[in-house]
Amino acid sequence: MDGMNYAPTFSGITEKVVKEGEFRFSVIGLDHGHIYAMVNGLLEAGADIVGVCDSDEDKAKDFIKRYPSASIMSKEDILKDKSILLVASAIRPDLRASLGLEALKNGKNFFADKPGMITFSELMQVKKEVKKSGLKYMIYFGERVHVEGALYAERLIREGRIGKVVAINIMAPHRLNPSTRPEWFFNKNQNGGILVDIGSHQFEQLLAYTGSKKAEVRYSAKGNKAHPAWPEFEDFGEAVIETESGASCFVRVDWFTPDGLSAWGDGRVFIIGTEGTMEIRKYVNIAADGGKDHVFIVDNNGESHEEATGKIGFPFFGAFIRDILDKTENSIPQERVFESTRLALEADRMAERVGVVNG
């Protein structure tokens, strides 16, 4: 019911890509609940959680209750421990890039909740340090890598099921639950804004589904339509993107999921190909047969509806671990991480403002 605490686990058997003790990681920063999703995925793939650090000791203690193999450590001890290969973090968004740079400079790969960077300056600094260090700066794009329906659809696209992708519409509504949100969530300078925050998921998806390395923002808008109590807060955003493959993509993000929905958001993706169409209903099939991860396909052979839950798992995490160890790029290419971030920042920079809707 709350996307902030979305932390799926795979119901089947996940392949362990490393032996016990081969891949040790620690966590710094527990400001967002996505850290639990990130840790779950890494553990399922065989990684070992070593330590946790947070300025709120109660949060750190709660974390250890969930992952008893971890110990409370200082940031300094985590960064100087050469056996720790990765730092994962869901620290406040405006602090992520500086922490990531610190991790990279101390020989650690970095795995940030989205958004991993919220300014162009941070993006340039991170790109420079990644090139210098040869290490990974990964972002948790959970709306693709932690959704089996999204991954199953991607597999079908790669197999040519609907031909070449020519257009994508992504709708990503979220439930606000304002009483559960920290103050920084409503502060633009601390959370990055809606197109940089939840928009970053969608820009990564459209690059993945079209197989594109580059894209350009053609139009964007953002604003506060119905929450005047938080004037800096953005509850609505949209963008039109054109990829280098020629595909047109529309993205809409908002914080207007009603309480009556049985999930935290009715995330949907509509994909048009030269030989078929596809729809992904990620978290819920409204007022229908329940379940999640629904994929609807229409091609030259007819119509089909498949539920992907339990079929594909979450291979990103194992691939990411192996990418670090093997110096490969089989999870998400580093340049796609950067391009997704650049698109989000560019969409935010050029966005038209939309004002409060009265009534």
Side-chain angles (χ1 to χ4, degrees):
M1 294 294 288
D2 188 345
M4 185 172 180
N5 296 309
Y6 178 70
T9 55
F10 182 47
S11 59
I13 298 175
T14 299
E15 177 189 2
K16 307 291 186 183
V17 301
V18 287
K19 299 176 182 178
E20 185 176 352
E22 185 179 355
F23 190 91
R24 291 159 55 89
F25 75 100
S26 288
V27 167
I28 302 176
L30 303 171
D31 290 330
H32 197 290
H34 283 168
I35 192 63
Y36 292 98
M38 298 158 67
V39 171
N40 287 348
L42 291 168
L43 293 179
E44 287 179 353
D48 297 298
I49 177 72
V50 176
V52 61
C53 171
D54 191 84
S55 58
D56 186 330
E57 188 175 349
D58 289 337
K59 281 186 178 181
K61 289 179 178 178
D62 287 342
F63 183 92
I64 289 176
K65 289 178 183 177
R66 190 160 177 173
Y67 306 109
S69 61
S71 300
I72 294 179
M73 300 175 65
S74 69
K75 182 178 77 170
E76 292 71 23
D77 285 343
I78 289 173
L79 293 178
K80 74 180 183 182
D81 187 335
K82 294 183 178 180
S83 73
I84 295 173
L85 302 180
L86 174 72
V87 170
S89 179
I91 201 169
R92 202 175 72 199
D94 62 317
L95 303 176
R96 288 172 191 166
S98 58
L99 176 61
L101 288 167
E102 200 172 354
L104 294 171
K105 290 174 182 179
N106 279 274
K108 305 281 185 282
N109 298 277
F110 191 64
F111 186 24
D113 184 22
K114 59 78 211 162
M117 295 153 267
I118 65 170
T119 69
F120 283 105
S121 175
E122 289 176 348
L123 175 59
M124 293 302 103
Q125 291 178 66
V126 169
K127 289 180 74 171
K128 181 178 179 181
E129 191 59 37
V130 164
K131 184 177 181 179
K132 178 181 177 180
S133 67
L135 299 167
K136 304 287 186 185
Y137 190 109
M138 184 58 65
I139 297 175
Y140 174 66
F141 295 114
E143 291 190 38
R144 185 179 66 84
V145 304
H146 235 158
V147 177
E148 287 185 88
L151 295 170
Y152 184 63
E154 184 180 10
R155 175 187 289 179
L156 295 179
I157 291 169
R158 297 290 167 262
E159 293 173 352
R161 180 71 177 270
I162 61 171
K164 179 184 177 182
V165 173
V166 297
I168 301 175
N169 284 5
I170 303 176
M171 289 177 282
H174 286 56
R175 177 177 282 114
L176 183 57
N177 284 336
S179 63
T180 69
R181 303 286 177 175
E183 288 186 15
W184 60 258
F185 176 79
F186 299 98
N187 186 319
K188 164 81 172 181
N189 292 328
Q190 293 179 323
N191 75 10
I194 194 168
L195 289 168
V196 174
D197 180 17
I198 57 178
S200 63
H201 283 294
Q202 325 318 325
F203 299 126
E204 193 277 334
Q205 284 180 88
L206 64 87
L207 292 175
Y209 290 148
T210 61
S212 300
K213 294 182 179 179
K214 296 289 183 180
E216 294 299 333
V217 181
R218 300 305 184 197
Y219 160 81
S220 59
K222 63 183 180 181
N224 186 326
K225 285 182 174 285
H227 296 90
W230 301 291
E232 290 187 11
F233 180 59
E234 296 166 358
D235 58 22
F236 180 88
E238 61 185 8
V240 175
I241 311 293
E242 183 179 5
T243 70
E244 64 177 359
S245 67
S248 59
C249 306
F250 172 76
V251 167
R252 190 206 76 213
V253 288
D254 68 71
W255 291 102
F256 289 108
T257 293
D259 289 343
L261 187 72
S262 59
W264 54 266
D266 181 19
R268 300 197 190 195
V269 181
F270 298 85
I271 305 170
I272 301 172
T274 54
E275 298 178 27
T277 62
M278 190 180 300
E279 178 190 350
I280 312 166
R281 299 183 189 175
K282 292 184 176 182
Y283 313 113
V284 62
N285 196 16
I286 292 177
D289 54 357
K292 59 180 182 177
D293 293 307
H294 295 270
V295 180
F296 298 83
I297 307 155
V298 182
D299 59 18
N300 295 325
N301 296 316
E303 306 168 0
S304 64
H305 167 208
E306 301 183 42
E307 190 172 352
T309 303
K311 292 183 178 180
I312 195 169
F314 306 116
F316 160 80
F317 297 93
F320 176 44
I321 290 170
R322 292 310 319 177
D323 281 347
I324 289 173
L325 295 174
D326 303 333
K327 301 297 182 182
T328 52
E329 291 207 316
N330 296 318
S331 55
I332 300 178
Q334 184 67 72
E335 284 305 312
R336 189 197 297 165
V337 173
F338 292 149
E339 180 66 0
S340 302
T341 301
R342 186 192 70 81
L343 287 171
L345 293 170
E346 185 66 15
D348 176 73
R349 183 192 66 79
M350 64 182 289
E352 296 182 7
R353 295 291 305 185
V354 290
V356 172
V357 176
N358 296 319

